[in-house]
Amino acid sequence: MLGFVSPLPQQPQRPPHPPAHRHMMVCGDDALARRLAVELRYVYGERVTLLVPPDRESGRPDLPPTQRARAAALFGRMSAAINRAGAANGTLDGVGASDSDTNAQVDPVTIVEAAEPSDDVLTGAGIEHAAALALVYDDDDRNIRAALTARRLNPRLRLVIRLYNRKLGQHLETLLDQAAAVAAPGLAGTALDTSTTVLSDADTAAPALAATALTGSSKIVQAEGILLRAAERLPPRPGETPDPGLCTLALLSSTRTDPAGAEGSDSSGSDGPRLLPDEASVAAAHGRGTVVLETVVQAGRDRTAPRMGGRGAPLSQVFSRRLRWSAAGVAASVVALAIASVVTTQDSPLHAAYLTLLDLLAMGDPAEDSAPDARKVIQLLAGLAGLLLLPLLVAAVLEAFGTLRTASALRRPPRGLSGHVVLLGLGKVGTRVLVRLRELGIPVVVVENDPDARGIPVARLLHVPTVVGDATQEGVLEAAKIGRARALLALTSNDTTNLEATLYARSIKPELRVALRLYDDEFATAVHRTLRTAHPQAVTRSRSVTHLSAPSFAVAMMGRQILGAVPVERKVMLFAALEVGDHPQLEGHTVAQAFRAGAWRVIAMDTTPPGDRLPDLAAVPPYGPDGTRPASGLVWDLHPGYVLRAEDRVVIAATRRGLAELLRRPRVVTRTQG
């Protein structure tokens, strides 16, 4: 059953759209679907059809808001925010209607209620004439079934699929692209419009969440073939000259240390963070921290990642330290007895060692009365050592058996552990963040309430100390050594649990660095201010996974791929690779002329000949015989006077508004005579 919602009130003015059949479809059952619909509607100006599960309990006012109600409320807030800001100065990193769009009439956002994205549902929602479809259900199986159905109904459709299983996603991309080629052989020249992209919100957000927990660490954007490093730097002291790096990507908020400040949100106004400022703005910004680009390099083979398995367990993991010391003591006794036998009996070393071992194992004949006294004493001592050897061997067998039996058991935090990160929650996001932290060599202690959580096998495989229990209960965080931790990452899917655990951790260690996962922006801002007021000397950050990952899904629906996203307080800066020939804002302009403050900036160029380039700059180039990747030709120190040509491929840093302007499809504007 389909339930269509009437046009939402107070829609902001946007440019007219192409014919009604060219729309974007989003199917999902959680916050990511709503965020993605907002991104497409209010950043890219696309017509959006959102499919959400139906409300089966609409008559009960005591239940929480439904998917449709949440979506409608979110669209209403965005509409009101854009209208308040005015047509020329919108929110969402400055997104708003341009001057030419002020008098244009916007098309409505359509919300469809459907239990499953079946053939009838997708057909009724206009799948046959849609430009792109995003399947972002929290269930991988449902997304796969819907993708197969959608590809059959519309072979020309661009598909963006949310999958946690990365290996399965690679195979699914190939399968669906092949299915499109078979169903419509003429699609060879329109590969961009019929591509299949598989993304994971957990993978997209994990690097930013991991970097949030590290004091003074760089924000690293790594998409296999390319690595960008952005560093957050404090305001310079009087008399100091700040290091500009390769370029300044952002100015941090001037209110970020003010407990009553808006902490980098859109309501900060001119005091909020400024993305991609020009040189004059950077020079005039006194007392502000900066985010600067340090390096843009070709990423080599990752040698810092922990081994996810091995041919065998190390000796130290099979036998305890006490047992190993005991075995070493017995061995030293045997060696000492053999040396004593050589010295006292003048026997050869080999024969003396042989007799000592026979005595040790009670296999030798007793010394005769005519034997030297030294021989008799050594034999008695060897027999005594043999008595000690028997329980040692039994203990070794029992311990080895127990170790093999409990090789998959979770480790407990060591007694002397300090300087680690406490990670709450091993769901999809928490598991990816755990792997990322271990790749960076950061010690981690995990706290998880569910012993059967998705990330428990990963923690066991990586030998990460894990505490099973409710983080809000007394004694659980203490068991994770929160008092000696460097940071707390609260990444459970429950906002209340994250907040309660944060408050409890701060009661134990007030100066603890905290990053907590919160969805609602207004709630996150209120939490941020309160924690800042209560603990002004401690660092507090709140992050939304959907806020970090939604831009990647939106850009994929436009036929491109984001290399990475870097959070700048409560805004997001995006990195993407583009062909210059597809964008008149870049082609024929110098690097300096192509820069638009607050929108985009060219930071690197791929000088690889067009015929030798990989289809995607983020693709993994093959390793050579020596274990290294071939040079990519990536040049980051571009001369400002270099003229960008159509065949050039560049890496840009952009705001959401700027990237939307670069990727926005041509509009068909209808004017009336009056």
Short mmCIF file of all heavy atoms in Angstrom, two decimals, residues 240-298:
data_model
loop_
_atom_site.label_atom_id
_atom_site.label_comp_id
_atom_site.label_asym_id
_atom_site.label_seq_id
_atom_site.Cartn_x
_atom_site.Cartn_y
_atom_site.Cartn_z
N GLU A 240 54.54 34.77 17.02
CA GLU A 240 54.74 33.56 16.24
C GLU A 240 54.14 33.71 14.85
O GLU A 240 53.15 34.41 14.65
CB GLU A 240 54.11 32.35 16.94
CG GLU A 240 54.80 31.93 18.22
CD GLU A 240 54.18 30.68 18.81
OE1 GLU A 240 53.09 30.28 18.35
OE2 GLU A 240 54.78 30.11 19.74
N THR A 241 54.75 33.04 13.89
CA THR A 241 54.25 33.02 12.52
C THR A 241 53.68 31.63 12.25
O THR A 241 54.41 30.65 12.30
CB THR A 241 55.35 33.33 11.51
OG1 THR A 241 55.89 34.62 11.79
CG2 THR A 241 54.80 33.31 10.09
N PRO A 242 52.41 31.52 12.00
CA PRO A 242 51.82 30.18 11.78
C PRO A 242 52.33 29.56 10.49
O PRO A 242 52.60 30.25 9.51
CB PRO A 242 50.32 30.46 11.71
CG PRO A 242 50.22 31.88 11.26
CD PRO A 242 51.41 32.58 11.85
N ASP A 243 52.48 28.25 10.52
CA ASP A 243 52.89 27.51 9.34
C ASP A 243 51.67 27.29 8.46
O ASP A 243 50.72 26.61 8.87
CB ASP A 243 53.51 26.17 9.75
CG ASP A 243 54.01 25.38 8.55
OD1 ASP A 243 53.95 25.91 7.42
OD2 ASP A 243 54.45 24.23 8.74
N PRO A 244 51.63 27.85 7.25
CA PRO A 244 50.43 27.72 6.43
C PRO A 244 50.27 26.36 5.79
O PRO A 244 49.22 26.06 5.21
CB PRO A 244 50.63 28.80 5.36
CG PRO A 244 52.11 28.90 5.23
CD PRO A 244 52.67 28.64 6.59
N GLY A 245 51.31 25.48 5.86
CA GLY A 245 51.24 24.21 5.18
C GLY A 245 51.18 24.41 3.68
O GLY A 245 51.67 25.41 3.13
N LEU A 246 50.58 23.48 2.97
CA LEU A 246 50.40 23.65 1.53
C LEU A 246 49.33 24.68 1.23
O LEU A 246 49.45 25.46 0.29
CB LEU A 246 50.04 22.30 0.89
CG LEU A 246 51.08 21.19 1.04
CD1 LEU A 246 50.58 19.92 0.38
CD2 LEU A 246 52.41 21.61 0.46
N CYS A 247 48.28 24.66 2.03
CA CYS A 247 47.22 25.67 1.92
C CYS A 247 46.35 25.57 3.17
O CYS A 247 46.34 24.55 3.85
CB CYS A 247 46.39 25.49 0.65
SG CYS A 247 45.44 23.94 0.60
N THR A 248 45.63 26.65 3.44
CA THR A 248 44.71 26.67 4.58
C THR A 248 43.34 26.22 4.10
O THR A 248 42.74 26.83 3.23
CB THR A 248 44.62 28.08 5.18
OG1 THR A 248 45.93 28.48 5.62
CG2 THR A 248 43.67 28.09 6.36
N LEU A 249 42.87 25.13 4.69
CA LEU A 249 41.58 24.57 4.30
C LEU A 249 40.41 25.20 5.06
O LEU A 249 39.31 25.26 4.54
CB LEU A 249 41.57 23.06 4.52
CG LEU A 249 42.55 22.25 3.67
CD1 LEU A 249 42.49 20.79 4.07
CD2 LEU A 249 42.27 22.41 2.20
N ALA A 250 40.66 25.62 6.31
CA ALA A 250 39.55 26.14 7.10
C ALA A 250 40.07 27.00 8.24
O ALA A 250 41.19 26.80 8.73
CB ALA A 250 38.69 25.00 7.65
N LEU A 251 39.25 27.96 8.63
CA LEU A 251 39.45 28.72 9.87
C LEU A 251 38.49 28.17 10.91
O LEU A 251 37.29 28.03 10.65
CB LEU A 251 39.18 30.21 9.65
CG LEU A 251 40.14 30.97 8.74
CD1 LEU A 251 39.63 32.38 8.50
CD2 LEU A 251 41.53 31.02 9.37
N LEU A 252 39.02 27.84 12.08
CA LEU A 252 38.17 27.30 13.13
C LEU A 252 37.36 28.40 13.79
O LEU A 252 37.68 29.59 13.68
CB LEU A 252 39.02 26.57 14.17
CG LEU A 252 39.83 25.38 13.63
CD1 LEU A 252 40.68 24.78 14.73
CD2 LEU A 252 38.90 24.33 13.04
N SER A 253 36.32 28.00 14.48
CA SER A 253 35.41 28.95 15.10
C SER A 253 36.13 29.76 16.16
O SER A 253 36.97 29.24 16.91
CB SER A 253 34.22 28.21 15.70
OG SER A 253 33.42 29.10 16.44
N SER A 254 35.77 31.04 16.25
CA SER A 254 36.34 31.88 17.31
C SER A 254 35.65 31.66 18.64
O SER A 254 36.10 32.17 19.67
CB SER A 254 36.23 33.36 16.91
OG SER A 254 34.87 33.73 16.74
N THR A 255 34.53 30.92 18.64
CA THR A 255 33.80 30.65 19.88
C THR A 255 33.99 29.23 20.37
O THR A 255 33.31 28.78 21.26
CB THR A 255 32.29 30.88 19.67
OG1 THR A 255 31.82 29.96 18.67
CG2 THR A 255 32.02 32.28 19.22
N ARG A 256 34.97 28.51 19.78
CA ARG A 256 35.09 27.09 20.10
C ARG A 256 35.54 26.85 21.54
O ARG A 256 35.36 25.77 22.08
CB ARG A 256 36.05 26.40 19.13
CG ARG A 256 37.45 26.88 19.20
CD ARG A 256 38.25 26.44 17.98
NE ARG A 256 38.13 25.01 17.74
CZ ARG A 256 39.01 24.12 18.15
NH1 ARG A 256 40.07 24.50 18.83
NH2 ARG A 256 38.85 22.84 17.88
N THR A 257 36.13 27.86 22.18
CA THR A 257 36.53 27.70 23.57
C THR A 257 35.60 28.44 24.52
O THR A 257 35.86 28.54 25.70
CB THR A 257 37.97 28.21 23.77
OG1 THR A 257 38.05 29.58 23.35
CG2 THR A 257 38.95 27.37 22.97
N ASP A 258 34.53 29.00 24.01
CA ASP A 258 33.56 29.72 24.82
C ASP A 258 32.45 28.77 25.24
O ASP A 258 31.76 28.22 24.39
CB ASP A 258 32.99 30.89 24.02
CG ASP A 258 31.97 31.68 24.82
OD1 ASP A 258 31.83 31.42 26.03
OD2 ASP A 258 31.32 32.56 24.24
N PRO A 259 32.27 28.55 26.56
CA PRO A 259 31.23 27.60 26.98
C PRO A 259 29.84 27.95 26.47
O PRO A 259 29.01 27.08 26.28
CB PRO A 259 31.30 27.67 28.52
CG PRO A 259 32.67 28.15 28.81
CD PRO A 259 33.03 29.08 27.69
N ALA A 260 29.57 29.23 26.25
CA ALA A 260 28.25 29.64 25.78
C ALA A 260 28.17 29.74 24.27
O ALA A 260 27.15 30.11 23.71
CB ALA A 260 27.86 30.98 26.40
N GLY A 261 29.25 29.43 23.59
CA GLY A 261 29.28 29.55 22.14
C GLY A 261 28.51 28.45 21.46
O GLY A 261 28.08 27.47 22.07
N ALA A 262 28.31 28.62 20.17
CA ALA A 262 27.54 27.64 19.40
C ALA A 262 28.40 26.48 18.93
O ALA A 262 27.90 25.57 18.28
CB ALA A 262 26.88 28.31 18.21
N GLU A 263 29.70 26.53 19.21
CA GLU A 263 30.60 25.41 18.93
C GLU A 263 30.60 24.97 17.48
O GLU A 263 30.44 23.81 17.16
CB GLU A 263 30.26 24.21 19.83
CG GLU A 263 30.40 24.49 21.31
CD GLU A 263 31.82 24.82 21.74
OE1 GLU A 263 32.75 24.58 20.95
OE2 GLU A 263 32.00 25.31 22.85
N GLY A 264 30.76 25.93 16.60
CA GLY A 264 30.96 25.57 15.21
C GLY A 264 29.72 25.17 14.44
O GLY A 264 29.84 24.64 13.35
N SER A 265 28.54 25.43 14.96
CA SER A 265 27.33 25.11 14.21
C SER A 265 26.97 26.28 13.30
O SER A 265 27.59 27.33 13.33
CB SER A 265 26.18 24.81 15.17
OG SER A 265 25.85 25.97 15.91
N ASP A 266 25.91 26.09 12.52
CA ASP A 266 25.50 27.14 11.60
C ASP A 266 25.04 28.39 12.35
O ASP A 266 25.10 29.49 11.80
CB ASP A 266 24.37 26.64 10.70
CG ASP A 266 24.86 25.62 9.69
OD1 ASP A 266 25.96 25.82 9.15
OD2 ASP A 266 24.16 24.62 9.46
N SER A 267 24.58 28.22 13.58
CA SER A 267 24.12 29.37 14.34
C SER A 267 25.25 30.22 14.88
O SER A 267 25.01 31.25 15.49
CB SER A 267 23.23 28.90 15.51
OG SER A 267 23.94 28.01 16.35
N SER A 268 26.50 29.83 14.63
CA SER A 268 27.63 30.62 15.07
C SER A 268 27.79 31.90 14.28
O SER A 268 28.46 32.83 14.71
CB SER A 268 28.93 29.80 14.96
OG SER A 268 28.88 28.65 15.75
N GLY A 269 27.20 31.96 13.08
CA GLY A 269 27.31 33.16 12.26
C GLY A 269 28.73 33.40 11.80
O GLY A 269 29.47 32.49 11.43
N SER A 270 29.16 34.66 11.86
CA SER A 270 30.52 35.02 11.42
C SER A 270 31.59 34.45 12.34
O SER A 270 32.76 34.40 11.96
CB SER A 270 30.65 36.54 11.34
OG SER A 270 30.41 37.13 12.62
N ASP A 271 31.21 34.07 13.56
CA ASP A 271 32.17 33.49 14.49
C ASP A 271 32.38 32.00 14.26
O ASP A 271 33.23 31.40 14.90
CB ASP A 271 31.71 33.70 15.93
CG ASP A 271 31.71 35.17 16.32
OD1 ASP A 271 32.57 35.90 15.80
OD2 ASP A 271 30.84 35.58 17.12
N GLY A 272 31.58 31.39 13.40
CA GLY A 272 31.69 29.97 13.15
C GLY A 272 32.84 29.63 12.23
O GLY A 272 33.57 30.51 11.74
N PRO A 273 33.06 28.35 11.98
CA PRO A 273 34.17 27.94 11.10
C PRO A 273 33.93 28.40 9.67
O PRO A 273 32.80 28.45 9.19
CB PRO A 273 34.15 26.41 11.21
CG PRO A 273 32.74 26.08 11.60
CD PRO A 273 32.26 27.20 12.45
N ARG A 274 35.01 28.72 8.98
CA ARG A 274 34.94 29.16 7.59
C ARG A 274 35.76 28.20 6.76
O ARG A 274 36.98 28.07 6.94
CB ARG A 274 35.46 30.59 7.45
CG ARG A 274 34.67 31.61 8.26
CD ARG A 274 35.18 33.02 8.06
NE ARG A 274 35.10 33.43 6.66
CZ ARG A 274 35.51 34.63 6.23
NH1 ARG A 274 36.01 35.50 7.10
NH2 ARG A 274 35.42 34.95 4.96
N LEU A 275 35.11 27.53 5.85
CA LEU A 275 35.77 26.54 5.01
C LEU A 275 36.34 27.21 3.77
O LEU A 275 35.71 28.08 3.16
CB LEU A 275 34.78 25.45 4.59
CG LEU A 275 34.05 24.72 5.73
CD1 LEU A 275 33.18 23.61 5.16
CD2 LEU A 275 35.02 24.18 6.75
N LEU A 276 37.56 26.81 3.39
CA LEU A 276 38.25 27.29 2.19
C LEU A 276 38.27 28.81 2.12
O LEU A 276 37.77 29.43 1.17
CB LEU A 276 37.59 26.71 0.94
CG LEU A 276 37.60 25.18 0.85
CD1 LEU A 276 36.79 24.72 -0.35
CD2 LEU A 276 39.02 24.66 0.77
N PRO A 277 38.86 29.47 3.12
CA PRO A 277 38.93 30.94 3.08
C PRO A 277 40.00 31.42 2.11
O PRO A 277 40.94 30.67 1.78
CB PRO A 277 39.29 31.29 4.53
CG PRO A 277 40.10 30.12 4.99
CD PRO A 277 39.49 28.90 4.31
N ASP A 278 39.90 32.67 1.68
CA ASP A 278 40.94 33.24 0.83
C ASP A 278 42.07 33.78 1.70
O ASP A 278 41.98 33.80 2.93
CB ASP A 278 40.37 34.33 -0.07
CG ASP A 278 39.61 35.40 0.72
OD1 ASP A 278 39.90 35.57 1.92
OD2 ASP A 278 38.74 36.06 0.14
N GLU A 279 43.14 34.22 1.06
CA GLU A 279 44.32 34.66 1.80
C GLU A 279 44.02 35.87 2.67
O GLU A 279 44.55 36.00 3.77
CB GLU A 279 45.45 34.98 0.82
CG GLU A 279 45.97 33.76 0.07
CD GLU A 279 47.13 34.11 -0.83
OE1 GLU A 279 47.52 35.30 -0.85
OE2 GLU A 279 47.65 33.21 -1.52
N ALA A 280 43.18 36.78 2.18
CA ALA A 280 42.85 37.96 2.97
C ALA A 280 42.12 37.59 4.26
O ALA A 280 42.39 38.15 5.33
CB ALA A 280 42.00 38.92 2.14
N SER A 281 41.21 36.63 4.16
CA SER A 281 40.48 36.20 5.35
C SER A 281 41.40 35.52 6.35
O SER A 281 41.28 35.71 7.56
CB SER A 281 39.35 35.25 4.95
OG SER A 281 38.44 35.89 4.08
N VAL A 282 42.34 34.73 5.85
CA VAL A 282 43.29 34.06 6.74
C VAL A 282 44.17 35.08 7.44
O VAL A 282 44.44 34.98 8.64
CB VAL A 282 44.14 33.05 5.95
CG1 VAL A 282 45.22 32.44 6.84
CG2 VAL A 282 43.26 31.95 5.37
N ALA A 283 44.64 36.09 6.70
CA ALA A 283 45.50 37.10 7.29
C ALA A 283 44.76 37.94 8.32
O ALA A 283 45.35 38.39 9.31
CB ALA A 283 46.07 37.99 6.19
N ALA A 284 43.46 38.16 8.11
CA ALA A 284 42.69 38.99 9.03
C ALA A 284 42.16 38.22 10.22
O ALA A 284 41.62 38.84 11.15
CB ALA A 284 41.53 39.64 8.27
N ALA A 285 42.28 36.91 10.21
CA ALA A 285 41.73 36.08 11.29
C ALA A 285 42.75 36.01 12.42
O ALA A 285 43.73 35.27 12.34
CB ALA A 285 41.39 34.70 10.78
N HIS A 286 42.53 36.76 13.47
CA HIS A 286 43.43 36.78 14.62
C HIS A 286 42.83 35.92 15.73
O HIS A 286 41.65 36.04 16.06
CB HIS A 286 43.64 38.21 15.11
CG HIS A 286 44.23 39.13 14.09
ND1 HIS A 286 45.53 39.02 13.65
CD2 HIS A 286 43.67 40.15 13.40
CE1 HIS A 286 45.77 39.96 12.74
NE2 HIS A 286 44.65 40.67 12.57
N GLY A 287 43.66 35.09 16.31
CA GLY A 287 43.22 34.25 17.43
C GLY A 287 42.40 33.05 17.03
O GLY A 287 41.74 32.44 17.87
N ARG A 288 42.42 32.70 15.75
CA ARG A 288 41.67 31.53 15.29
C ARG A 288 42.62 30.40 14.94
O ARG A 288 43.68 30.62 14.36
CB ARG A 288 40.83 31.87 14.06
CG ARG A 288 39.59 32.68 14.34
CD ARG A 288 38.64 32.57 13.15
NE ARG A 288 37.40 33.29 13.36
CZ ARG A 288 36.33 33.15 12.61
NH1 ARG A 288 36.34 32.31 11.59
NH2 ARG A 288 35.24 33.84 12.86
N GLY A 289 42.21 29.19 15.29
CA GLY A 289 42.94 28.03 14.83
C GLY A 289 42.64 27.77 13.36
O GLY A 289 41.72 28.34 12.79
N THR A 290 43.45 26.91 12.77
CA THR A 290 43.29 26.62 11.35
C THR A 290 43.37 25.12 11.10
O THR A 290 43.89 24.37 11.93
CB THR A 290 44.38 27.32 10.51
OG1 THR A 290 45.67 26.88 10.97
CG2 THR A 290 44.28 28.83 10.61
N VAL A 291 42.85 24.70 9.96
CA VAL A 291 43.05 23.36 9.44
C VAL A 291 43.81 23.52 8.14
O VAL A 291 43.33 24.16 7.20
CB VAL A 291 41.71 22.64 9.18
CG1 VAL A 291 41.96 21.27 8.56
CG2 VAL A 291 40.93 22.48 10.48
N VAL A 292 45.03 23.00 8.10
CA VAL A 292 45.89 23.19 6.94
C VAL A 292 46.17 21.84 6.29
O VAL A 292 46.21 20.80 6.96
CB VAL A 292 47.22 23.88 7.31
CG1 VAL A 292 46.97 25.24 7.93
CG2 VAL A 292 48.04 23.01 8.25
N LEU A 293 46.37 21.87 4.98
CA LEU A 293 46.73 20.68 4.24
C LEU A 293 48.23 20.49 4.33
O LEU A 293 49.01 21.37 3.97
CB LEU A 293 46.30 20.81 2.77
CG LEU A 293 46.57 19.61 1.88
CD1 LEU A 293 45.71 18.43 2.29
CD2 LEU A 293 46.32 19.97 0.41
N GLU A 294 48.64 19.33 4.84
CA GLU A 294 50.07 19.07 5.02
C GLU A 294 50.67 18.34 3.84
O GLU A 294 51.70 18.73 3.31
CB GLU A 294 50.29 18.26 6.31
CG GLU A 294 50.08 19.06 7.57
CD GLU A 294 50.47 18.27 8.80
OE1 GLU A 294 50.39 17.03 8.77
OE2 GLU A 294 50.87 18.89 9.80
N THR A 295 50.05 17.25 3.42
CA THR A 295 50.61 16.45 2.33
C THR A 295 49.50 15.85 1.50
O THR A 295 48.39 15.61 1.98
CB THR A 295 51.49 15.29 2.87
OG1 THR A 295 50.72 14.52 3.80
CG2 THR A 295 52.74 15.80 3.52
N VAL A 296 49.82 15.60 0.25
CA VAL A 296 48.99 14.81 -0.65
C VAL A 296 49.93 13.84 -1.32
O VAL A 296 50.77 14.22 -2.12
CB VAL A 296 48.28 15.68 -1.71
CG1 VAL A 296 47.40 14.83 -2.60
CG2 VAL A 296 47.49 16.79 -1.07
N VAL A 297 49.84 12.57 -0.97
CA VAL A 297 50.81 11.60 -1.47
C VAL A 297 50.07 10.38 -1.98
O VAL A 297 48.89 10.17 -1.73
CB VAL A 297 51.80 11.17 -0.36
CG1 VAL A 297 52.61 12.35 0.12
CG2 VAL A 297 51.08 10.52 0.80
N GLN A 298 50.82 9.56 -2.71
CA GLN A 298 50.32 8.27 -3.15
C GLN A 298 50.46 7.29 -1.99
O GLN A 298 51.53 7.11 -1.43
CB GLN A 298 51.11 7.75 -4.35
CG GLN A 298 50.64 6.41 -4.87
CD GLN A 298 49.32 6.52 -5.61
OE1 GLN A 298 48.87 7.62 -5.90
NE2 GLN A 298 48.70 5.41 -5.91
#
